[in-house]
């Protein structure tokens, strides 16, 4: 352990990052900037080539940062697993998606664990950052690493540290968001905390890997449940004829005991719709049915269908049908200022409308084209907001406060604000636009 701590101190530690996506690339660049020699490993050779040529493909990391790290000789990338043999510390940032049956898909984690095990050597520190169910680090990673004969906490070190980055958030980045670390043993926690202390201002050590895994799931389940609550409140306000946003904004004046969440078209991204299902799956294996969390997933997953009903009702009020209607969906990334379309509810809305015979196009400056998931590739429509005049209905799936709608709201196009599900049905123009 002393050896590792010394290498962290004098920056001679060689850091490997497995998986160079939204999480892995910023982590790799941060360690390179902190003075370590970093090697990123990714199965995607195109990503490797782009990094080696100093190019970033992640919105939050500018190409200049990647280029500077590569030119300094502190960052390199490879698609060859053999590089793991040279690493003192390996940080795992591979995807943890859902299977078709909405259960954890551990394929990537298992592959990464096997890659590390095949190049295991004594003295290594292995940290799992991918979001996963409590128990993964000990139940999935540890047995594969221990097969090599070493004792964890003595011959090698194992920890879990959840990634908390919020893509597109300029205020809170990797360096000023406290980092949770849980080690398999006290020694494992100490080494991992020392490593992260070089890139993050505040490291919060918990007693075990499982606690650190659960922290991440609590944070994201908290969001999923509160979003489900406010989505249901919006549907209730619709029935009651009350303006949801007025209610939320008024409730938010309470200086304690209330935190505002806002309704929308459903959940998107790789985290909030996915992570609670990792938790409920694990609990099902322990004969516990996490009812509240599962119900929240159900309510959020039903929101795209609710929006399609809003569109259908609004068109119906004008004696128009969804079939044949020209519909523009604005904002297909799962949130504003990012290009990530994973699990985006806007795509579900588009598919549901297409299935009902609408002619659907989309506009999103961060997503120039949609190459898969539809019968034929789609290109983002330009010319917002004026182009809205060309459609029977415009479905806004993003925060649109920076769009000047003057001149469009007096057109005959229907504008549906999916964040304001209360007002969709009866107003000819949606008042929050
Ligand atoms: N995106 C976020 O905002 C965010 C935030 C916090 C946590 N997370 C979690 O972090 C993890 C990674 O998410 P992401 O958004 O960076 O995913 P991503 O898909 O952007 O990146 C993962 C990368 O891993 C690579 N990869 C897959 N299998 C590999 C293997 N066996 N060896 C080497 N490389 C491999 C892929 O090619 C890809 O480049 C997930 O568990 C996610 O839930 C994501």
């Amino acid at each position: 352990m002393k050896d590792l701590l010394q290498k962290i101190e004098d920056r001679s530690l060689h850091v490997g990052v497995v998986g160079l996506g939204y999480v892995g690339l910023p982590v790799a660049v941060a360690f390179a900037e902190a003075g370590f020699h970093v090697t990123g490993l990714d199965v995607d050779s195109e990503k490797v080539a782009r990094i080696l040529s100093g190019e970033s493909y992640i919105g939050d990391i500018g190409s200049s940062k990647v280029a500077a790290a590569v030119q300094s000789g502190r960052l390199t990338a490879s698609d060859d697993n053999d590089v793991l043999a040279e690493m003192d510390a390996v940080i795992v940032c591979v995807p943890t998606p859902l299977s078709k049956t909405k259960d954890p898909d551990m394929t990537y984690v298992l592959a990464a664990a096997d890659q590390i095990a095949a190049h295991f050597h004594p003295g290594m520190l292995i940290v799992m950052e991918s979001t996963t169910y409590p128990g993964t680090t000990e139940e999935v990673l540890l047995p594969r690493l221990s097969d090599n004969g070493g004792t964890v906490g003595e011959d090698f070190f194992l920890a879990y540290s959840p990634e908390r980055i919020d893509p597109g958030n300029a205020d809170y980045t990797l360096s000023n968001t406290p980092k949770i670390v849980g080690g398999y043993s006290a020694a494992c926690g100490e080494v991992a905390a020392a490593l992260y202390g070089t890139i993050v201002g505040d490291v919060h050590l918990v007693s075990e890997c499982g606690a650190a895994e659960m922290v991440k799931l609590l944070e994201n389940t908290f969001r999923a449940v509160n979003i489900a609550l406010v989505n249901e409140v919006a549907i209730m306000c619709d029935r009651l004829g009350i303006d949801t946003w007025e209610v939320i904004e008024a409730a938010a004046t309470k200086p304690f005991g209330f935190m505002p969440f806002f309704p929308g078209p459903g959940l998107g991204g790789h985290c909030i719709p996915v992570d609670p299902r990792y938790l409920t799956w694990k609990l099902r294996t322990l004969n516990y049915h996490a009812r509240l969390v599962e119900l929240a997933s159900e309510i959020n997953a039903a929101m795209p269908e609710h929006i399609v009903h809003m569109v259908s009702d609004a068109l119906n009020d004008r004696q128009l049908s969804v079939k044949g209607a020209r519909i523009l969906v604005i904002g297909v990334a799962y949130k504003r200022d990012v290009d990530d379309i994973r699990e985006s509810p806007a795509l579900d809305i588009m598919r549901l409308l297409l299935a009902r015979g609408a002619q659907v196009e989309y506009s999103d400056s961060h997503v120039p084209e949609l190459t898969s998931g539809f019968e034929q590739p789609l290109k983002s429509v330009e010319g917002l907001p004026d182009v809205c005049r060309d459609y029977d209905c415009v479905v806004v799936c993003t925060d649109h406060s920076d769009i000047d709608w003057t001149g469009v709201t007096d057109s005959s196009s229907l504008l549906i604000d999916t964040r304001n599900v209360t007002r969709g049905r009866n107003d000819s123009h949606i008042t929050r636009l």
Side-chain angles (χ1 to χ4, degrees), residues 90-92 125-129 157-161 192 195-196:
V90 178
I91 298 173
V92 180
L125 165 66
I126 296 112
V127 186
M128 173 81 170
E129 282 216 20
F157 302 88
L158 182 63
Y160 180 81
S161 179
L195 179 60
Y196 282 111

Side-chain angles (χ1 to χ4, degrees), residues 326-345:
R326 292 202 64 203
I327 299 179
L328 179 69
V329 173
I330 299 180
V332 293
Y334 80 92
K335 67 173 184 172
R336 65 173 293 167
D337 297 333
V338 300
D339 59 3
D340 190 349
I341 57 168
R342 288 177 293 181
E343 312 286 332
S344 172

Side-chain angles (χ1 to χ4, degrees), residues 30 60 65 163-166 169-180 196-204:
D60 286 347
K65 278 191 163 218
E163 184 50 66
R164 291 169 131 180
I165 53 156
D166 180 18
N169 188 334
D171 297 330
Y172 288 102
T173 58
L174 191 56
S175 62
N176 66 355
T177 305
K179 191 98 174 95
I180 305 295
Y196 282 111
T198 62
I199 59 163
V200 177
D202 184 4
V203 176
H204 184 93

Side-chain angles (χ1 to χ4, degrees), residues 293-424:
V293 184
E294 289 193 355
L295 190 56
S297 296
E298 226 175 87
I299 290 171
N300 289 326
M303 289 312 289
E305 191 77 50
H306 178 74
I307 301 299
V308 169
H309 282 302
M310 275 170 57
V311 172
S312 171
D313 287 348
L315 288 169
N316 189 51
D317 284 349
R318 295 190 167 191
Q319 301 186 350
L320 294 171
S321 66
V322 174
K323 190 168 186 148
R326 292 202 64 203
I327 299 179
L328 179 69
V329 173
I330 299 180
V332 293
Y334 80 92
K335 67 173 184 172
R336 65 173 293 167
D337 297 333
V338 300
D339 59 3
D340 190 349
I341 57 168
R342 288 177 293 181
E343 312 286 332
S344 172
L347 300 180
D348 290 333
I349 292 169
M350 288 172 70
R351 286 188 202 106
L352 288 167
L353 289 169
L354 282 165
R356 284 164 173 75
Q359 298 174 44
V360 182
E361 291 183 278
Y362 82 95
S363 180
D364 190 323
S365 55
H366 291 277
V367 186
E369 54 183 351
L370 292 172
T371 47
S372 62
F374 294 93
E375 255 175 40
Q376 47 205 12
L378 298 171
K379 275 198 181 345
S380 174
V381 167
E382 292 180 5
L384 286 181
D386 294 345
V387 73
C388 294
R389 291 174 172 278
D390 299 343
Y391 296 86
D392 297 309
C393 182
V394 178
V395 184
V396 187
C397 290
T398 183
D399 177 358
H400 47 75
S401 45
D402 53 352
I403 298 179
D404 178 6
W405 294 99
T406 324
V408 179
T409 44
D410 65 352
S411 76
S412 59
S413 304
L414 271 166
L415 295 171
I416 306 275
D417 180 356
T418 60
R419 300 187 320 138
N420 190 18
V421 286
T422 310
R423 294 284 181 86

Side-chain angles (χ1 to χ4, degrees), residues 17-26 41-45 47 57-58 78 81 92-97 107-113 115 128-132 160 162-167 216 220 269-271 274-275 278 334-335 340 342:
V17 177
V18 181
L20 297 168
Y22 288 92
V23 167
L25 184 59
L41 174 67
D42 204 294
V43 288
D44 184 339
S45 47
K47 281 184 180 161
Y57 40 80
I58 301 291
S78 174
N81 292 337
V92 180
C93 304
V94 296
T96 45
T107 323
Y108 302 95
V109 172
L110 289 170
Q115 284 158 224
M128 173 81 170
E129 282 216 20
S130 300
T131 308
T132 183
Y160 180 81
E163 184 50 66
R164 291 169 131 180
I165 53 156
D166 180 18
K216 176 72 185 174
N220 283 355
H270 188 14
C271 295
V274 174
D275 302 349
Y278 269 67
Y334 80 92
K335 67 173 184 172
D340 190 349
R342 288 177 293 181

Side-chain angles (χ1 to χ4, degrees), residues 28-365:
V29 170
F31 278 115
E33 287 176 343
F36 293 96
H37 183 197
V38 181
T39 301
L41 174 67
D42 204 294
V43 288
D44 184 339
S45 47
E46 197 188 314
K47 281 184 180 161
V48 169
R50 287 174 78 175
I51 291 173
L52 292 176
S53 65
E55 196 192 322
S56 173
Y57 40 80
I58 301 291
D60 286 347
I61 293 280
S63 287
S64 57
K65 278 191 163 218
V66 175
V70 171
Q71 275 155 23
S72 72
R74 288 199 292 271
L75 177 65
T76 187
S78 174
D79 56 6
D80 181 354
N81 292 337
D82 287 348
V83 295
L84 290 168
E86 307 292 319
M87 304 300 140
D88 298 303
V90 178
I91 298 173
V92 180
C93 304
V94 296
T96 45
L98 294 171
S99 68
K100 278 201 171 132
T101 53
K102 304 279 183 200
D103 289 332
D105 174 358
M106 300 302 282
T107 323
Y108 302 95
V109 172
L110 289 170
D114 288 339
Q115 284 158 224
I116 299 166
H119 297 88
F120 177 85
H121 53 87
M124 263 182 140
L125 165 66
I126 296 112
V127 186
M128 173 81 170
E129 282 216 20
S130 300
T131 308
T132 183
Y133 59 82
T136 305
T137 310
E138 287 189 32
E139 294 162 14
V140 177
L141 259 72
L142 182 58
R144 283 169 173 75
L145 300 170
S146 299
D147 272 357
N148 292 287
T151 304
V152 62
E154 292 175 21
D155 303 319
F156 71 97
F157 302 88
L158 182 63
Y160 180 81
S161 179
E163 184 50 66
R164 291 169 131 180
I165 53 156
D166 180 18
N169 188 334
D171 297 330
Y172 288 102
T173 58
L174 191 56
S175 62
N176 66 355
T177 305
K179 191 98 174 95
I180 305 295
V181 172
Y184 178 82
S185 67
C188 294
E190 193 184 329
V191 183
L195 179 60
Y196 282 111
T198 62
I199 59 163
V200 177
D202 184 4
V203 176
H204 184 93
L205 193 58
V206 295
S207 63
E208 51 159 329
C209 300
E213 289 162 336
M214 190 65 185
V215 169
K216 176 72 185 174
L217 296 185
L218 170 61
E219 290 169 2
N220 283 355
T221 304
F222 171 84
R223 287 185 64 75
V225 168
N226 277 287
I227 292 168
L229 172 65
V230 84
N231 278 335
E232 189 160 61
V233 165
I235 291 167
M236 293 191 289
C237 282
D238 187 28
R239 301 279 163 96
L240 293 164
I242 294 170
D243 182 343
T244 320
W245 280 72
E246 186 185 8
V247 172
I248 297 168
E249 282 160 3
T253 61
K254 189 178 178 188
F256 51 88
F258 183 82
M259 183 184 284
F261 284 81
F262 300 97
L267 293 181
H270 188 14
C271 295
I272 315 290
V274 174
D275 302 349
R277 293 189 189 266
Y278 269 67
L279 184 57
T280 54
W281 175 85
K282 177 66 185 180
L283 268 301
R284 278 204 307 275
T285 70
L286 300 172
N287 285 328
Y288 183 78
H289 179 202
R291 301 179 297 278
L292 179 64
V293 184
E294 289 193 355
L295 190 56
S297 296
E298 226 175 87
I299 290 171
N300 289 326
M303 289 312 289
E305 191 77 50
H306 178 74
I307 301 299
V308 169
H309 282 302
M310 275 170 57
V311 172
S312 171
D313 287 348
L315 288 169
N316 189 51
D317 284 349
R318 295 190 167 191
Q319 301 186 350
L320 294 171
S321 66
V322 174
K323 190 168 186 148
R326 292 202 64 203
I327 299 179
L328 179 69
V329 173
I330 299 180
V332 293
Y334 80 92
K335 67 173 184 172
R336 65 173 293 167
D337 297 333
V338 300
D339 59 3
D340 190 349
I341 57 168
R342 288 177 293 181
E343 312 286 332
S344 172
L347 300 180
D348 290 333
I349 292 169
M350 288 172 70
R351 286 188 202 106
L352 288 167
L353 289 169
L354 282 165
R356 284 164 173 75
Q359 298 174 44
V360 182
E361 291 183 278
Y362 82 95
S363 180
D364 190 323
S365 55

